[in-house]
């Protein structure tokens, strides 16, 4: 399971959990507690009750989806090229970049959010209305236009390469590898489509609100936050529907089962590969034994 795509999915899951925790605080914890005012209230808004950290996680989730698309693009279109391979160093840099950019983009909102006693809630207070408009338009570009454009361009080429283009693959190894790539790519495409369906309405609501086309009220904020939380919570469901290994490991984790690994011969390894297939595994160092069929390819 320790492949680049799975490390990126772990990063995505971490970002999603941060979204659920910190965006949920204003809706679950704040209404049942008395929020302090003044300077302590402003600090509490910036760190916890204002949802700033949750929006950092939300943006990190978006950037991680772009990183996943880049990894899939290299694995599908350039499987034998070393330039596009995600080494451990490149993977670390990529994940660190996702979080660094997310934190940097959140700085203006972090500085602007304060506690407003008149509405008994945390809200952005901009010194000039134009700053709010710039920030809103910036969110639409950073979390909407740019990621959706990159994801659309990369996945359209991958879909064409895997499903639409005709090829004459005859070797069992190559056929099995292509099926594996289709499974993993289909999973991340579904996750990406859900992201688009959830984020576009949210960005559109705030864009129309700050441009004066509509008047933002409480229901708009509730809908926008609900869509973002839904986007983060639905990803594990997508993973479990697409990957039998994910379902197995998740079930073992829930019921506290331990996987005991014993030394295996080459025959046992082939048998294990036959049961598990290629889902969510690495795509290199693949061997096929003469007596094996396509599904019993082992990955080392």
């Amino acid at each position: 399971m320790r492949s680049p795509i799975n490390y990126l999915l772990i990063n995505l899951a971490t970002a999603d959990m941060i979204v659920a925790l910190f965006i949920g605080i204003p809706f679950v914890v704040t209404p049942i507690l008395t929020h302090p005012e003044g300077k302590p209230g402003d600090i509490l808004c910036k760190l916890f009750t204002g949802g700033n950290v949750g929006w950092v996680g939300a943006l990190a989730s978006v950037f991680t989806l772009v990183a996943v698309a880049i990894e899939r693009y290299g694995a599908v279109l350039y499987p034998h090229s070393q330039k596009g391979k995600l080494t451990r160093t490149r993977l670390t840099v990529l994940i660190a970049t996702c979080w660094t950019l997310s934190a940097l983009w959140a700085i203006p909102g972090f500085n602007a959010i304060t506690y407003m006693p008149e509405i008994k809630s945390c809200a952005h207070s901009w010194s000039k209305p134009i700053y709010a408009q710039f920030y809103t338009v910036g969110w639409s570009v950073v979390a909407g236009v740019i990621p959706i454009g990159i994801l659309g361009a990369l996945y359209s080429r991958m879909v064409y390469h895997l499903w639409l283009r005709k090829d004459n693959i005859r070797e069992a190894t190559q056929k099995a590898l292509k099926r594996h790539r289709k499974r993993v790519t289909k999973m991340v495409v579904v996750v990406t489509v859900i992201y688009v369906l959830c984020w576009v309405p949210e960005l559109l609501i705030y864009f129309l609100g700050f441009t004066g086309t509509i008047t933002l009220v409480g229901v708009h904020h509730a809908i926008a936050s609900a869509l973002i939380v839904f986007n983060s919570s639905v990803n594990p469901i997508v993973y479990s529907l697409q990957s039998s290994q994910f379902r197995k490991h998740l079930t073992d984790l829930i019921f506290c089962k331990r996987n005991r690994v014993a030394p295996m011969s080459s025959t046992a390894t082939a048998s294990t590969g036959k049961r598990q297939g290629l889902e969510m595994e690495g795509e290199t160092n693949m061997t096929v034994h003469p007596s094996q069929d396509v599904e019993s390819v082992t990955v080392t």
Side-chain angles (χ1 to χ4, degrees):
M1 298 292 287
R2 297 182 181 182
S3 60
I5 180 67
N6 283 342
Y7 279 114
L8 289 174
L9 293 179
I10 288 174
N11 190 62
L12 180 63
T14 303
D16 287 338
M17 287 188 287
I18 290 176
V19 171
L21 177 62
F22 284 93
I23 289 186
I25 287 177
F27 296 95
V28 178
V29 179
T30 305
I32 63 176
L33 299 177
T34 301
H35 201 287
E37 301 180 7
K39 195 67 176 179
D42 292 342
I43 295 176
L44 196 61
C45 280
K46 294 180 187 296
L47 297 179
F48 297 105
T49 56
N52 277 331
V53 180
W55 289 108
V56 172
L59 201 55
S61 178
V62 174
F63 291 159
T64 303
L65 288 177
V66 175
V68 169
I70 294 173
E71 190 279 338
R72 286 289 85 207
Y73 184 82
V76 171
L77 270 72
Y78 305 102
H80 305 297
S81 174
Q82 294 300 319
K83 293 182 179 180
K85 293 292 183 182
L86 276 185
T87 62
R88 186 175 294 273
T89 301
R90 290 177 180 175
L91 188 64
T92 303
V93 171
L94 192 59
I95 292 175
T97 301
C98 291
W99 287 99
T100 301
L101 293 177
S102 302
L104 289 175
W105 179 251
I107 290 177
F110 179 87
N111 292 329
I113 198 165
T114 58
Y115 181 75
M116 297 185 177
E118 56 272 18
I119 63 174
K120 296 182 179 181
S121 179
C122 302
H124 288 106
S125 177
W126 303 93
S127 57
K128 295 181 180 180
I130 191 67
Y131 294 157
Q133 295 176 4
F134 278 138
Y135 193 58
T136 302
V137 173
W139 262 100
S140 300
V141 174
V142 172
V145 176
I146 294 177
I148 292 174
I150 295 175
L151 294 171
L154 295 180
Y155 282 128
S156 60
R157 287 204 63 188
M158 282 185 273
V159 168
Y160 172 79
H161 185 85
L162 290 173
W163 280 278
L164 302 179
R165 194 184 71 169
K166 294 183 179 180
D167 48 30
N168 297 319
I169 298 177
R170 296 182 178 179
E171 295 183 5
T173 305
Q174 295 300 319
K175 288 182 178 180
L177 181 56
K178 186 172 182 178
R179 283 202 303 272
H180 162 63
R181 289 170 179 165
K182 281 185 176 182
R183 271 196 301 270
V184 179
T185 303
K186 183 171 66 173
M187 179 186 66
V188 294
V189 167
V190 171
V191 171
T192 302
V193 170
I194 294 174
Y195 147 71
V196 173
L197 294 177
C198 291
W199 272 85
V200 169
E202 191 272 344
L203 295 172
L204 188 60
I205 286 173
Y206 284 105
F207 181 81
L208 294 177
F210 281 101
T211 55
T213 306
I214 63 174
T215 301
L216 292 176
V217 294
V219 66
H220 293 135
H221 299 290
I223 291 173
S225 299
L227 285 171
I228 299 305
V229 173
F230 174 78
N231 177 66
S232 295
S233 61
V234 78
N235 286 340
I237 300 174
V238 177
Y239 302 150
S240 63
L241 290 176
Q242 296 292 331
S243 172
S244 61
Q245 279 208 31
F246 186 93
R247 291 194 299 270
K248 177 184 179 300
H249 288 297
L250 183 60
T251 303
D252 291 345
L253 180 64
I254 293 174
F255 292 101
C256 301
K257 294 181 180 180
R258 293 184 179 182
N259 293 322
R260 297 180 179 179
V261 180
M264 295 187 297
S265 63
S266 58
T267 305
T269 304
S271 176
T272 302
K274 194 166 186 175
R275 289 193 306 269
Q276 295 181 342
L278 294 169
E279 295 183 9
M280 306 299 292
E281 293 286 353
E283 297 181 354
T284 58
N285 301 330
M286 303 175 63
T287 59
V288 181
H289 301 283
S291 60
Q292 290 180 257
D293 57 18
V294 174
E295 291 297 330
S296 54
V297 178
T298 57
V299 182
T300 58

